[in-house]
Amino acid sequence: MKISRPLVAASAVVALGCVAACGGGGDGADRHGKSSRSKTSGPTNGGEETKAPAEGSEDGEDGDASRGTGSPQDTRDPQDSSGGGVSKGGRPLTEAQLKKAALVTGDAKGFEVKASEGADLLGQTVPATPSKCQPVADMFLFSTDPASRAGVSRGAVPKDEMNASVITFALLAYKSREADRAIDGLRAAIKECTAYRHADYDYKDIEATADPDLGDESVAFRLVASIEGAQVPAAYTVVRDGTTLVAFSSMNMLDADEIEVPAELVKAQLAKLATTTA
């Protein structure tokens, strides 16, 4: 049983390596501008390409005209939220604020928090087939459309050695309405997408699971990844709190029927986000 967690982690690392080779190498860039050329934010902006702002940017003014206004039908105002995921003045949280708000070991009972294996790939995007599944595929590296203005990721390991789950999570900051659009796009994709191919791997059995009813709005889903011949079930929970998204993924090769993102871990992160940014 003790070798199961490393096995799942190894499968995830292999997949991350493939994503890096397929979409993150050479003159490519992640969604937070970590290399010389920014990636575009995807096809949902009327065909126009927009650059993602630099990681930790407070303004992210580049591309505001095409990405920051929201759809005409979107009348919600996330800044009216009582949640903690928005800085004073309604500006997106900075990278420094997100790092301060992220869980550390001791914040959530039963879990050790450490650096994420895919931290350097946070926000990258690689084309998925079919394209309607892109928002689902992007969650593998916590990428969204619109792109986040800043983001941090961490890994959470259950202290119970009998628990084979490998958990990663990210805090992603947006300007007003952008977080709404990102989670709305993900929710719509989950309904339409049943299987896809991404970075040379196949993903199937995508299905929505019960809404955890957290934050201002939330969505949860499951899928099964085929990685190097291994069938790796994964569960995702994404919560919008103000203009910040808190996104979790959990992989577990042994307990496929029980795969889930621990609710207590998500709640602990939302609580810390609220107190840190109050």
Side-chain angles (χ1 to χ4, degrees), residues 78 81-86 215-217 239-246 270 273-274 277:
S81 165
S82 60
V86 58
D216 296 311
E217 59 178 324
V239 181
R240 181 179 68 80
D241 188 21
T243 57
T244 299
L245 292 186
V246 176
L270 289 171
L273 177 63
T277 59

Side-chain angles (χ1 to χ4, degrees), residues 178-202:
E178 291 178 340
D180 297 58
R181 291 167 58 196
I183 198 168
D184 286 348
L186 176 61
R187 184 182 293 109
I190 294 168
K191 293 179 180 179
E192 298 177 358
C193 177
T194 58
Y196 62 92
R197 188 165 179 80
H198 179 246
D200 292 336
Y201 292 116
D202 293 311

Side-chain angles (χ1 to χ4, degrees), residues 3 10 29 41 46 81 95 98 116 123 154-155 158 177-178 183 189 192 211 216 220 225 237 248 250 253 256 272 278:
I3 67 171
S41 62
S81 165
E95 183 182 7
L98 294 176
S116 170
R154 299 287 186 268
R177 301 191 186 280
E178 291 178 340
I183 198 168
E192 298 177 358
D211 186 340
D216 296 311
T237 294
F248 280 79
S250 178
M253 293 173 66
K272 185 170 184 180

